[in-house]
Amino acid sequence: MPGERILIVEDEARIAAVLERYLRAEGFQVERAGDGKRALELWRAASPDLILLDLMLPEIDGVAVATHIRATSDVPIIMLTAKVEEDDRLTGLGVGADDYVTKPFSPREVVARVHAVLRRASGQVRSARQHAVGALRIDLDAFAAYCGETRLDISPTQFRMLAALAARAGVALRRQELLEGRTDGFTDVRTVDAHVKNLRRRLGACAEQLETVRGVGYRLRT
Ligand code: CA
């Protein structure tokens, strides 16, 4: 749809410029970020409709950027990766990317993927701000979580942790990843264990979905 906003996150200026030109020709509005830090700033400021996200970026890499965004947002993300190894593809999808394109790509192919992902996303607008994981439902707009029909009595910190786990349901998150976006006085990853313990107690019948993954961290089972 014309006027939709695309954020291109790519440190190779030549590639970014070509993508921008093709996307503008399709009627998209385009913003560009050359590193992960700027990407997060623009994502917050411009709330794009889709993000083209290079995997290998200076300072904050694409996986970290996607993880950060996915903790609170279902904005469509297409990963751009220079590597063809399967595990990189899986890493890209494991962080919640909607699609990926391997370099070298044709700009036309990227534009086609952008259209396809946006089409798919527009059919999910209603559910886009919710995570449903097993009997758990996390409503990001209402800042509310439910187990079945029961609304859970959890703190803002617990809510953010649950939302981060739900955004990547089935994937084990390291304690460090659960610290991101903190607003209170976490100083120690062990504090995470205490918060998770309290959170689990508050999940009621859904408590067993929150699993400890030994040596890694925590996972929300689907
Ligand atoms: Ca790069």
Side-chain angles (χ1 to χ4, degrees):
M1 228 178 292
E4 283 178 302
R5 288 154 301 169
I6 313 288
L7 173 58
I8 301 173
V9 185
E10 169 62 81
D11 58 317
E12 288 167 73
R14 195 180 50 83
I15 294 177
V18 170
L19 287 176
E20 176 169 4
R21 186 153 46 85
Y22 272 78
L23 288 165
R24 285 196 187 280
E26 295 280 313
F28 291 109
Q29 294 178 36
V30 179
E31 298 264 16
R32 270 163 59 176
D35 62 65
K37 187 164 169 285
R38 183 75 185 130
L40 289 173
E41 285 167 9
L42 280 177
W43 165 64
R44 287 194 198 94
S47 55
D49 297 297
L50 182 143
I51 301 173
L52 286 171
L53 181 57
D54 185 27
L55 192 63
M56 304 297 281
L57 291 166
E59 294 185 51
I60 309 175
D61 74 6
V63 169
V65 171
T67 302
H68 195 92
I69 289 172
R70 270 291 170 270
T72 55
S73 166
D74 282 319
V75 61
I77 297 174
I78 300 177
M79 298 290 281
L80 309 174
T81 164
K83 298 182 181 174
V84 294
E85 287 88 359
E86 202 60 30
D87 61 345
D88 279 318
R89 296 186 167 203
L90 293 176
T91 304
L93 296 175
V95 298
D98 297 83
D99 202 354
Y100 61 87
V101 187
T102 305
K103 295 176 185 176
F105 46 68
S106 82
R108 275 179 223 287
E109 183 193 356
V110 176
V111 169
R113 299 283 186 99
V114 166
H115 281 299
V117 169
L118 282 173
R119 243 191 333 269
R120 215 158 63 209
S122 69
Q124 300 168 348
V125 170
R126 267 311 300 151
S127 63
R129 300 281 304 163
Q130 288 197 3
H131 297 299
V133 183
L136 278 170
R137 186 164 60 82
I138 292 97
D139 185 330
L140 298 171
D141 288 322
F143 222 69
Y146 302 83
C147 177
E149 296 301 309
T150 310
R151 179 162 177 167
L152 301 173
D153 178 22
I154 59 177
S155 71
T157 299
Q158 291 167 344
F159 180 85
R160 270 187 283 275
M161 292 179 114
L162 186 60
L165 286 159
R168 295 171 67 193
V171 176
L173 297 193
R174 290 173 297 116
R175 287 171 180 80
Q176 197 56 45
E177 294 175 278
L178 289 172
L179 286 173
E180 283 162 19
R182 67 186 187 256
T183 57
D184 58 6
F186 278 135
T187 51
D188 182 333
V189 288
R190 270 174 229 166
T191 317
V192 174
D193 294 335
H195 277 285
V196 169
K197 201 172 160 192
N198 290 332
L199 171 60
R200 193 180 269 135
R201 211 177 285 144
R202 303 255 169 171
L203 292 182
C206 292
E208 62 182 29
Q209 276 184 248
L210 178 46
E211 297 177 326
T212 302
V213 182
R214 197 175 295 236
V216 183
Y218 298 98
R219 171 174 59 208
L220 200 59
R221 206 181 56 208
T222 53

